[in-house]
Amino acid sequence: MRRNAVRLLLAGLVALAACLVGPGPAARAAAPASPAVTYTNPIAEKRADPHIFKHTDGYYYFTATVPEYDRIVLRRATTIQGLSTAPETTIWTKHAGGVMGAHIWAPEIHFIDGKWYVYFAAGSTSDVWAIRMYVLEGSGANPLTATWTEKGQIRTQWESFSLDATTFVVNGVRYLAWAQRDPSVDNNTDIYLAKMSNPWTITGTPVRLSRPTYAWETVGYKVNEGPAVIQHGGKVFLSYSASATDSNYCLGLLSASASADLLNAASWTKSSTPVFTSNASTGQYGPGHNSFTVSEDGKSDVLVYHDRNYKDISGDPLNDPNRRTRVQKLYWKADGTPDFGVPVADGVTPQRFSSYNFPDRFVRHYDYRARIDTGVSPLADSQFRVVTGLAGSGTVSLESANFPGYYLRGDNVEVRLVKNDGSAQFASDATFYKRAGLSDSAGVSYESYASAGRYVRHYNYLLYVQTLSTATDRADATFYGE
């Protein structure tokens, strides 16, 4: 019995030591499957309802609502950032009279069976609010120079206000999702889904997936609109926009198993809370009408959306032209659901940093103390903008995503999140040299600017600025950008 007790004590000590110094070499992480990607926002001024599509030809194609509501425009570039300066081509202009003569809204571009298709909404010169969904078909390798023909209106179960058509394929079946007003209900729009027989025709009976009933969906107007679909881990996620198009605009989320009957409303689960909302700290208001694309290396999902950088709007929000197209990386929780985080501040987008030897733990701030943790919530506690060092060029500083103006600072050996007081001492303490990872050159290590030879490292899950002497020390000072 005494011998067993000794064995148990030794086993416990070994386990405790493993927690303190980290796992052995076999447990250390390879570079993450989804490395960091960063962009500089906004991508485009005065472009709402943005849609970015990455094609197999290596180009990103970008379209959006223009504030004049009178035409459909396209840009293309080999990078997402390149779209911000890419020339813009008008591929279609509203009709001079009749249908498709007013309120040209929310175009999306898709490539289906060798041809280009643009879905959009439009009113009529006789009734600008007779909004319906229409389709253009384009032939040619480059849609900016393609020949476009009108395929007409997408007919649904009612002749009523309808818009925001989007199409996607699950298990070989093509679907159309859209927003429409049910004439029998005192409501604005619901989200509907149907199969398609061709790129401009639905077939069968549409199913209603979502109706605005929560308080956050009914501010100003009772709205569910702007559906966008992304698939991940055997599930289908459909985001949508809710409430009036001012600072109350936000995103909700529906989810279903990819193997379920998507035309059965019971297959879908609706989040009871919004997943993406205005954020006063980052100065972003009314984020919504999103789409999804992928990063240049194909390894990260990217959220595309519009918002404004001010809260208060004079008059009707529809007459305010200043919705901007923005992008940021979309992250995934351990349970396979998307984590939208917060609409990040203008400028360079943030990234996360995972530990080299604790790959499921991320650098984060908690009560202003820097540490590494698993399952960080809210996500933005583990996001940092890598900006030009406060102490000068050739260096970097790490600014909190959800507390702009607060930086990771070496404070008497401990690393804390501290508000910049503008002093030379703060600038020195919050500035680092970005080095190749000390345990893996694919990673990154941060050497203190104020104390040469000292590095940011974790010990017992807390972050410090210390000198390093062992392989474990160097592993503790190595991180991967994600």
Side-chain angles (χ1 to χ4, degrees):
M1 291 292 292
R2 189 175 300 166
R3 188 176 300 163
N4 288 338
V6 170
R7 286 175 179 170
L8 289 172
L9 177 61
L10 289 173
L13 291 173
V14 169
L16 177 62
C19 289
L20 293 176
V21 304
R28 287 173 179 155
S34 179
V37 290
T38 58
Y39 303 99
T40 300
N41 281 315
I43 296 296
E45 300 282 358
K46 297 185 178 181
R47 292 294 178 267
D49 312 324
H51 187 258
I52 296 177
F53 169 71
K54 187 181 183 184
H55 190 41
T56 54
D57 63 0
Y59 281 95
Y60 288 92
Y61 292 91
F62 166 54
T63 187
T65 301
V66 302
E68 297 81 10
Y69 303 149
D70 64 352
R71 64 194 188 275
I72 296 174
V73 297
L74 279 179
R75 305 183 192 186
R76 77 169 186 168
T78 55
T79 65
I80 292 174
Q81 196 67 54
L83 293 170
S84 63
T85 56
E88 195 167 77
T89 298
T90 297
I91 64 163
W92 184 87
T93 302
K94 70 177 183 178
H95 289 192
V99 299
M100 292 186 277
H103 281 168
I104 310 305
W105 288 349
E108 287 198 6
I109 184 166
H110 297 264
F111 190 76
I112 303 170
D113 297 333
K115 291 186 178 181
W116 295 97
Y117 292 90
V118 169
Y119 297 82
F120 67 101
S124 171
T125 55
S126 61
D127 182 357
V128 297
W129 295 108
I131 305 293
R132 303 292 187 269
M133 300 178 293
Y134 300 92
V135 183
L136 303 177
E137 181 183 77
S139 298
N142 180 356
L144 278 70
T145 58
T147 299
W148 291 94
T149 58
E150 297 172 2
K151 303 304 290 186
Q153 181 182 339
I154 300 177
R155 300 290 177 177
T156 66
Q157 69 274 45
W158 304 299
E159 192 64 34
S160 66
F161 186 94
S162 53
L163 70 171
D164 297 346
T166 191
T167 184
F168 61 97
V169 174
V170 177
N171 294 326
V173 178
R174 180 166 295 280
Y175 296 89
L176 188 82
W178 70 96
Q180 187 162 13
R181 182 180 181 273
D182 180 343
S184 68
V185 177
D186 180 20
N187 200 24
N188 293 104
T189 52
D190 308 319
I191 301 294
Y192 291 89
L193 183 70
K195 290 183 180 180
M196 304 190 80
S197 58
N198 61 43
W200 57 92
T201 308
I202 65 170
T203 183
T205 303
V207 59
R208 187 183 77 234
L209 298 186
S210 180
R211 171 163 286 169
T213 55
Y214 291 117
W216 54 270
E217 298 177 295
T218 58
V219 182
Y221 296 98
K222 300 174 182 178
V223 170
N224 282 177
E225 65 182 15
V229 170
I230 187 169
Q231 300 180 55
H232 181 84
K235 291 187 177 180
V236 181
F237 299 96
L238 186 150
S239 62
Y240 63 91
S241 300
S243 289
T245 56
D246 53 18
S247 63
N248 295 294
Y249 211 46
C250 60
L251 292 184
L253 189 68
L254 302 168
S255 59
S257 169
S259 60
D261 177 5
L262 300 184
L263 292 176
N264 180 353
S267 298
W268 296 84
T269 300
K270 181 175 179 176
S271 173
S272 61
T273 57
V275 294
F276 201 54
T277 62
S278 293
N279 191 286
S281 295
T282 61
Q284 309 301 322
Y285 298 94
H289 203 115
N290 78 288
S291 59
F292 300 101
T293 189
V294 294
S295 60
E296 289 77 1
D297 62 8
K299 296 180 179 179
S300 294
D301 293 303
V302 176
L303 174 67
V304 184
Y305 63 98
H306 75 234
D307 75 4
R308 294 181 178 91
N309 62 354
Y310 52 89
K311 181 178 181 180
D312 297 323
I313 299 170
S314 299
D316 189 335
L318 282 175
N319 297 325
D320 181 296
N322 295 315
R323 291 177 289 180
R324 309 94 42 81
T325 292
R326 311 179 84 251
V327 298
Q328 61 191 69
K329 181 168 177 172
L330 181 73
Y331 289 90
W332 296 94
K333 300 177 184 178
D335 66 0
T337 59
D339 197 332
F340 290 76
V342 300
V344 298
D346 285 351
V348 66
T349 57
Q351 53 188 293
R352 307 179 79 197
F353 295 95
S354 61
S355 165
Y356 167 76
N357 50 0
F358 287 84
D360 62 341
R361 289 181 177 265
F362 289 84
V363 175
R364 61 89 55 92
H365 57 83
Y366 183 81
D367 281 343
Y368 301 106
R369 183 70 168 90
R371 54 182 295 122
I372 57 170
D373 272 337
T374 60
V376 179
S377 181
L379 172 74
D381 283 357
S382 62
Q383 289 181 292
F384 298 89
R385 304 195 328 155
V386 181
V387 298
T388 300
L390 298 176
S393 61
T395 61
V396 298
S397 293
L398 302 174
E399 183 182 15
S400 168
N402 54 349
F403 289 89
Y406 285 70
Y407 295 81
L408 293 184
R409 177 187 186 181
D411 184 10
N412 192 27
V413 183
E414 296 180 347
V415 179
R416 295 185 176 275
L417 187 73
V418 184
K419 186 176 183 179
N420 183 4
D421 62 10
S423 68
Q425 186 62 57
F426 182 94
S428 179
D429 291 345
T431 297
F432 304 90
Y433 293 104
K434 183 179 178 180
R435 309 296 193 195
L438 297 176
S439 287
D440 182 355
S441 60
V444 62
S445 295
Y446 288 103
E447 182 183 3
S448 170
Y449 172 86
S451 302
R454 293 176 179 262
Y455 286 80
V456 175
R457 61 85 56 95
H458 60 80
Y459 181 79
N460 205 20
Y461 305 135
L462 297 176
L463 260 59
Y464 299 90
V465 176
Q466 294 179 341
T467 55
L468 311 175
S469 58
T470 69
T472 297
D473 292 346
R474 290 187 288 275
D476 290 346
T478 301
F479 305 90
Y480 293 114
E482 295 191 29

